[in-house]
Amino acid sequence: MARRRPCSHEPRRRAPALLCALASFQALGAVAAAAAAIDHGRKGVHSGAGPSNASMPTAGPAAPVLNASASVTIDLTRRQPTSPLLYGIFFEEIGHAGDGGLYAELVQDRSFDALAAVVGFAAGGSPELEDASPARLLVSLDNLAAQQAQKAGGSRTDTSSGGSSGGCAWKALKRRGAGACKAGNDIIVAWSALPGTTTTLTRERPLNPGNLVAMELSGTGSGTPAGIVNSGYWGVPVEAGVPYALSLFLRVPNGSALKEATVALLPADSPTNKSNRSGNGSGVSAGLSASLAVARFSGLTAEWQRFTAELVSPTTDLRAGLAVLFDGPGTLVVNSVSLFPSANAARGRAEGLLNPWPFRQDLLGALQALRPRFLRFPGGCYVEGDWLQGAFRWKTALRRDEERPGHHNSMWGYWSTDGLGLFEYLLLAEELGAEPVWVVNNGIAHNDQVPTSDIWPWVQEALDGIEFISGPPNSTWGSVRAAMGRREPWALKYVAIGNEGCGLPWDRPSVDYKPHFAANYLAFYGALKAAHPHLRLIANCAELRGVGPTEIWEYHVYTNPQDMFARRRAFDGLDPAASGLVFASEFAVTDGGGQGNVIGAVAEAGFMLGLERHSDAVLAAAYAPLFVNANARPWPTNLIVFDNSRFFGIPSYHVEGPAAADTLAAGASCLSDACNELAVKLVNFSPLPQRASLHIQGLAGGALGESAELLVLGSSQPLEENSFDAPTKVSPRASSMSGVAESFELELEPWSLTIVKLRILPPSA
């Protein structure tokens, strides 16, 4: 994930290369064309380019249709393959993309590690609290929740300040300094205590070496149950009749008479359920009597035990809470409280996994619909960390869920359970049929870095990770993978070394200057290439082309619609033999794109046409960010917006799916090796309708079918967006047209992407 500016700067101009200019445009007036293909891994035919005359978007009625304004000639005799990886996805843990999103866990802060981070308890007690002892800390959950809300700087859905949220997350986008956000200030407190319940964080008798903190509950026995309630990620969503798999660990102190505990799903309107943020804690008995589902556990002892149950609610409630309760007086110690859809738990067992199948089904389906050819993971800035201590480390995200300590994702302002670890990302790539592209930390964070003299442990961590992914099951790290349920190695071809740590000596005295950046890259490159010569290694910015070997280099751009559309020519004249292949791994219209609007999507479509026109130089590309929870938006535009039960794709999502300055750009692609179906793509980046004259050449005795399929995405209102209430307001519209011949005309709507699918009939016998 980029900061507000792209760290991978525009490529330096090289000697002109042969461009795959396979479809030519003759511009009339100020209208011209640039090219691309829409389908992943298909053979592309492309166009040339003309002068720029882009205009700012204006709302209002469409202008009258112009006369024929552009002549587009498609020459089928001049074809060039596009990259089989051209369009994929980039997953980063930002905006609760994983925790509270794709990761199907419904309980937030299941092991109380986030709470411990808030009060500094995980680091050995809080000096701010006088009663903190080495292994125990009394906490007031309600006071902490109020404190965190104040420190976070207001609403997490505030989209002021350029379309990003307030508080620590927004400061992250402006490059946070050493004291900008104290660790833990932006973590959500998802647990609340029932009246009469004392809550104490404890490190006494930990569950396992990776899970050192538990929650101790004490009740007074005043006639109402004691316990705590989890509000999930803005509610625990339960559907009527759908089973949910509950798992938790419980124990009691030595000599305790307490032998039973209860777990209940509480409705949103229950006074005991703080997920609705309106209850005051009164009327506990009434709230419990209206529980949606209840599981009771007996036989509690002084040793940790795992208890499981299946909970089924008779009604749908998207703001339910999950309560752990007992009848006092007494003390109960709780850890690793987890709730997954039972279907996920069943699939995990069926596939021999240690944990439930990790992915939320509807969001997984949204990714499958994109048919991505690669998956870049797990970040982004998430890999770097605001500081190295907050960087994602794959070795602590292994084995069972309850053995993963998690970490504070200080870069994007929330706690990461690390339930999505290296193992799960490889599962995701396999499920999507996508090539995995693993981004490793090269010892560079936003605010600190590892000197090259000390970099070897970080290099070794990357080498160990490669062994975990692709080593034999009897190897040191391959055996860990096998124990997690995957005996067969995964294939790994692509590794990206770092992310946006592009500060080289000529950046001095910029804060972006990273004195160890280049040498760290070379250390990683040499070690990884020596151990695994087959790997294709990706440099994280263009500047490395003058420093060391760069097979592939990353290009990140976040900009306004006009600039994005103009960047379809960013790689004109680039010679891949001299400079390596381009990986446009992060691109999006962010400034002037609202929260994902029409003009942004159309500009991106034009940029994508340029990527395919330069398919000899561009290996792959991905929109970013991929996901955002609507309740916690740290970035203005995100491809897929969701809450705990729904999702929609912004207009750019529909460009990525079906389609994958000047005011008009175009290109064409064969949809098969035989080229018996041709897709012509035209982008009208203008408030005016346009009329294009299409000419198909090189049919080699064949003929065009008399009809064609049309897909159109666009609107005369360039700022139009999708929403939960209107999730497909801006989406492709299918129709057909007749009268197709080797030359025909087509009207193009304002601010639109139009795809024309033509059938090519073989020569008559």
Side-chain angles (χ1 to χ4, degrees), residues 392-399 422 457 460-462 464-465 477:
F392 172 78
R393 307 298 291 271
W394 71 268
K395 287 185 178 180
T396 60
L398 296 175
R399 303 180 176 85
L422 187 53
Q460 187 62 56
E461 185 169 314
D464 291 345
W477 289 102

Side-chain angles (χ1 to χ4, degrees), residues 305-545:
Q305 297 180 77
R306 183 186 185 205
F307 294 90
T308 62
E310 196 164 73
L311 301 177
V312 182
S313 171
T315 60
T316 293
D317 193 326
L318 304 179
R319 302 279 287 178
L322 187 72
V324 181
L325 313 163
F326 65 96
D327 289 323
T331 299
L332 178 68
V333 189
V334 185
N335 207 339
S336 195
V337 184
S338 177
L339 190 70
F340 277 85
S342 291
N344 290 65
R347 179 168 177 179
R349 289 191 300 269
E351 297 193 7
L353 306 180
L354 288 183
N355 301 306
W357 178 249
F359 309 117
R360 179 173 145 179
Q361 185 56 45
D362 61 335
L363 297 185
L364 178 63
L367 298 184
Q368 290 170 325
L370 291 172
R371 296 180 297 163
R373 289 303 179 95
F374 68 85
L375 169 66
R376 177 177 178 244
F377 66 88
C381 295
Y382 179 70
V383 170
E384 299 172 278
D386 200 16
W387 298 83
L388 285 172
Q389 68 179 8
F392 172 78
R393 307 298 291 271
W394 71 268
K395 287 185 178 180
T396 60
L398 296 175
R399 303 180 176 85
R400 296 186 182 277
D401 289 340
E402 62 268 18
E403 297 179 271
R404 305 185 186 193
H407 75 286
H408 180 211
N409 178 6
S410 58
M411 186 64 240
W412 300 118
Y414 55 95
W415 185 263
S416 174
T417 64
D418 290 341
L420 292 183
L422 187 53
F423 185 88
E424 288 73 24
Y425 289 118
L426 271 296
L427 283 180
L428 179 59
E430 185 174 55
E431 185 75 3
L432 296 173
E435 191 78 43
V437 180
W438 182 32
V439 184
V440 301
N441 188 304
N442 63 338
I444 304 291
H446 284 194
N447 293 300
D448 61 344
Q449 58 189 299
V450 178
T452 306
S453 59
D454 299 327
I455 199 60
W456 182 253
W458 294 76
V459 175
Q460 187 62 56
E461 185 169 314
L463 291 169
D464 291 345
I466 295 169
E467 182 178 280
F468 175 84
I469 294 168
S470 57
N474 60 351
S475 62
T476 300
W477 289 102
S479 65
V480 176
R481 181 198 68 238
M484 294 180 68
R486 172 76 184 204
R487 182 173 177 81
E488 292 301 314
W490 282 292
L492 181 67
K493 299 178 184 176
Y494 297 90
V495 175
I497 301 173
N499 174 74
E500 294 185 350
C502 307
L504 290 169
W506 48 81
D507 290 319
R508 207 184 277 122
S510 165
V511 294
D512 292 314
Y513 173 49
K514 302 291 194 300
H516 304 292
F517 158 69
N520 283 7
Y521 169 80
L522 293 174
F524 272 80
Y525 187 97
L528 269 59
K529 203 69 172 178
H532 304 280
H534 74 284
L535 286 178
R536 303 190 70 183
L537 301 178
I538 302 169
N540 58 67
C541 61
E543 288 87 344
L544 281 168
R545 290 177 293 169

Side-chain angles (χ1 to χ4, degrees), residues 575-655:
D575 181 2
S579 59
L581 293 171
V582 179
F583 183 16
S585 54
E586 300 182 26
F587 72 85
V589 169
T590 52
D591 301 325
Q595 294 188 354
N597 59 25
V598 169
I599 189 173
V602 174
E604 290 155 3
F607 174 70
M608 294 163 70
L609 290 176
L611 297 178
E612 291 208 6
R613 184 166 61 91
H614 295 92
S615 58
D616 59 335
V618 178
L619 173 71
Y623 185 98
L626 180 62
F627 279 125
V628 71
N629 190 307
N631 295 286
R633 183 188 290 270
W635 198 261
T637 55
N638 305 266
L639 198 65
I640 301 169
V641 183
F642 63 88
D643 59 15
N644 65 9
S645 62
R646 304 170 295 174
F647 77 89
F648 66 88
I650 66 172
S652 300
Y653 174 88
H654 300 288
V655 170

Side-chain angles (χ1 to χ4, degrees), residues 100 103-111 191 230-233 235-239 242-249 263-266 292-295 297 306-313 317 320-324 335-345 356-358 360 401:
Y103 186 45
E105 172 66 81
L106 300 178
V107 175
Q108 184 170 188
D109 192 17
R110 61 190 171 200
S111 294
W191 293 96
N230 189 271
S231 58
Y233 294 92
V236 176
V238 294
E239 296 183 46
V242 174
Y244 295 88
L246 170 71
S247 171
L248 75 165
F249 289 82
V263 175
L265 276 172
L266 304 181
L292 300 173
V294 174
F297 305 111
R306 183 186 185 205
F307 294 90
T308 62
E310 196 164 73
L311 301 177
V312 182
S313 171
D317 193 326
L322 187 72
V324 181
N335 207 339
S336 195
V337 184
S338 177
L339 190 70
F340 277 85
S342 291
N344 290 65
W357 178 249
R360 179 173 145 179
D401 289 340

Side-chain angles (χ1 to χ4, degrees), residues 41 112 124 145 147 198 203 312 356 398 460 534 542-543 593 610 657 673 705 730 735:
F112 308 99
Q147 164 192 299
T198 300
R203 290 193 302 275
V312 182
L398 296 175
Q460 187 62 56
H534 74 284
E543 288 87 344
D673 289 339
V730 183
S735 63

